[in-house]
């Protein structure tokens, strides 16, 4: 019987040592079942646990990012709408009425994104004076977006992401002065 080198080991060649005989004997003895009998069904369990451990935080992070993005877009749209509403007031309206129109425009823009706006979140400043030729109006909105699915029962303020948006609108040099000026 000769020996041949195969896979880093020497093995006998010929007779009952042929690979076909070993494979047949291993199959007959149930060797194909012996390695996997104790593992049956564990892949499904492992996949389920990994899916829970990885997917739940991922879904939560996506919900938080979507809420912050929605609030950011709403704040940007609200400041732009408020600035434009403040600038284009009809003749004869006072500065207070222009501020009320600007707040209402900002409130509607935020409502489009599913958020509420309070009067302390929006500020309107004019430089050098409101509704005067050559002046600028700056609208600033500061709000906080609470993280989703955190109950109030934990006490204190819920964690939130603060959003700030600002928009400056020129009144124009060649326009007539409006308001109570």
């Amino acid at each position: 019987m000769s020996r041949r080198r195969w896979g880093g080991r020497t093995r006998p060649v010929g007779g009952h040592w042929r690979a076909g005989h070993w494979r047949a004997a291993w199959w007959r003895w149930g060797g194909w079942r012996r390695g996997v009998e104790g593992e049956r069904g564990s892949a499904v369990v492992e996949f389920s646990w990994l899916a829970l451990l990885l997917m739940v935080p991922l879904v939560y992070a996506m919900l938080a990012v979507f809420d912050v993005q929605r609030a950011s877009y709403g704040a940007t749209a609200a400041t732009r709408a408020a600035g434009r509403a403040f600038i284009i007031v009809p003749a004869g309206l006072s500065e207070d009425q222009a501020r009320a129109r600007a707040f209402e425009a900002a409130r509607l823009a935020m409502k489009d994104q599913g958020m509420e706006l309070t009067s302390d979140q929006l500020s309107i400043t004019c430089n050098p004076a409101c509704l005067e030729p050559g002046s600028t109006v700056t609208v600033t909105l500061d709000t906080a977006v609470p993280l989703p699915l955190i109950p109030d029962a934990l006490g204190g303020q819920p964690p939130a992401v603060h959003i700030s948006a600002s928009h400056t609108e020129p009144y124009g040099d060649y326009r007539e002065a409006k308001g109570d000026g």
Side-chain angles (χ1 to χ4, degrees), residues 69-164:
Q69 180 63 33
R70 177 175 49 104
S72 177
Y73 180 72
T76 303
T79 55
R80 183 174 185 273
R84 294 179 66 86
F86 190 87
I87 291 295
I88 61 169
V89 295
L93 290 182
S94 67
E95 182 181 327
D96 292 334
Q97 290 169 326
R99 287 181 188 277
R101 287 171 55 106
F103 177 76
E104 186 61 25
R107 189 187 67 75
L108 286 174
M110 290 294 279
K111 189 175 181 181
D112 282 346
Q113 298 302 319
M115 300 189 67
E116 293 297 320
L117 180 68
T118 60
S119 60
D120 62 332
Q121 294 173 330
L122 188 73
S123 68
I124 300 172
T125 57
C126 302
N127 186 17
C130 290
L131 303 175
E132 293 292 322
S135 66
T136 58
V137 176
T138 302
V139 180
T140 306
L141 188 138
D142 291 316
T143 187
V145 181
L147 293 179
L149 305 175
I150 295 188
D152 294 336
L154 295 177
Q157 293 284 41
V161 177
H162 294 280
I163 303 285
S164 180

Side-chain angles (χ1 to χ4, degrees), residues 45-99:
V45 174
E46 290 171 4
F47 178 76
S48 300
W49 278 107
L50 281 175
L52 278 175
L53 290 174
L54 297 175
M55 294 300 281
V56 169
L58 179 67
V59 168
Y60 181 79
M62 287 176 56
L63 287 174
V65 166
F66 292 156
D67 277 354
V68 170
Q69 180 63 33
R70 177 175 49 104
S72 177
Y73 180 72
T76 303
T79 55
R80 183 174 185 273
R84 294 179 66 86
F86 190 87
I87 291 295
I88 61 169
V89 295
L93 290 182
S94 67
E95 182 181 327
D96 292 334
Q97 290 169 326
R99 287 181 188 277

